[in-house]
Amino acid sequence: MSQEENIEPKWYVVHTYSGYENKVKTDLEKTIKNRELEDFFFDIVVPMEEQIEIKDGKRKTNLKKVFPGYVLVKMIVTEESWYIVRNTRGVTGFVGSGTDPIPLTDEEIRNMGFEVTVVNVDYDINDTVRVVNGPLASFIGTVQEINKEKNKVKVLVSMFGRETPVELEFSQVEKI
């Protein structure tokens, strides 16, 4: 590991024993929660695709792993986060050269069907915003939290006489 730890979360590919993908995802999520490392891990994905099979005239939809033996992890690599992933049961290592995990490029992520859009919003925490669409359209609220990794904003909306925090997509609110 290099001394200079990158604070920007990136997608990494983790190699697992075949058939252990979902177990690795579950175990990793548990470990992250137990060790309170949510600040370093943003997403853990076992890419799946629907496969439609027609058997005996019946249509059946199955979920099939797109990359058997691999789990994608969006994380900030530090000594500790690297160690935790590396030592999760079923993980054989990161895809990369030697001990350094190599992040996926934006192009590789796009090719896998993941979106890599950075959304800049014109509102800030404590700003008053209006919900522009969805079930809460036209409600007014105060921005509590902005999560750029997940493109979500937490807004405190006054509903039925009391303040209720709601999580919305960036595009659902506008600054007043």
Side-chain angles (χ1 to χ4, degrees):
M1 291 293 311
S2 61
Q3 286 304 93
E4 219 179 281
E5 292 174 343
N6 195 339
I7 54 158
E8 196 57 30
K10 291 192 174 355
W11 284 100
Y12 294 89
V13 181
V14 177
H15 195 248
T16 69
Y17 293 122
S18 197
Y20 274 74
E21 303 88 352
N22 291 323
K23 180 134 184 54
V24 165
K25 175 179 161 73
T26 309
D27 290 353
L28 199 47
E29 286 169 343
K30 251 187 241 149
T31 306
I32 292 162
K33 199 168 170 46
N34 291 343
R35 299 212 184 178
E36 296 179 359
L37 291 169
E38 291 92 345
D39 291 348
F40 297 97
F41 293 90
F42 297 86
D43 211 351
I44 302 169
V45 178
V46 178
M48 305 288 262
E49 66 184 1
E50 278 192 357
Q51 213 175 32
I52 296 165
E53 193 181 327
I54 296 172
K55 205 175 191 177
D56 304 328
K58 289 189 179 77
R59 184 185 167 108
K60 191 175 161 195
T61 306
N62 291 326
L63 278 179
K64 185 175 168 282
K65 292 182 187 95
V66 181
F67 308 111
Y70 295 96
V71 175
L72 301 177
V73 181
K74 186 176 190 178
M75 63 185 280
I76 295 171
V77 173
T78 64
E79 288 284 345
E80 191 177 12
S81 66
W82 178 87
Y83 178 85
I84 282 183
V85 173
R86 210 39 216 92
N87 290 289
T88 298
R89 236 182 96 209
V91 169
T92 59
F94 278 97
V95 172
S97 61
T99 54
D100 281 339
I102 307 289
L104 291 170
T105 64
D106 286 352
E107 191 183 347
E108 288 169 324
I109 295 162
R110 264 192 301 275
N111 291 342
M112 289 175 168
F114 286 96
E115 268 316 302
V116 197
T117 47
V118 176
V119 180
N120 287 317
V121 291
D122 65 347
Y123 44 81
D124 234 318
I125 291 179
N126 295 327
D127 278 357
T128 303
V129 292
R130 175 186 292 114
V131 181
V132 289
N133 61 26
L136 302 176
S138 80
F139 274 84
I140 307 284
T142 310
V143 176
Q144 272 196 309
E145 197 179 293
I146 297 172
N147 186 331
K148 289 199 176 196
E149 278 75 38
K150 294 186 174 155
N151 290 338
K152 301 258 187 203
V153 59
K154 194 176 277 177
V155 179
L156 206 54
V157 176
S158 182
M159 225 185 285
F160 312 117
R162 65 170 189 244
E163 303 278 283
T164 307
V166 289
E167 197 176 63
L168 301 162
E169 300 287 326
F170 280 170
S171 60
Q172 287 183 278
V173 297
E174 67 181 11
K175 189 175 176 178
I176 298 180

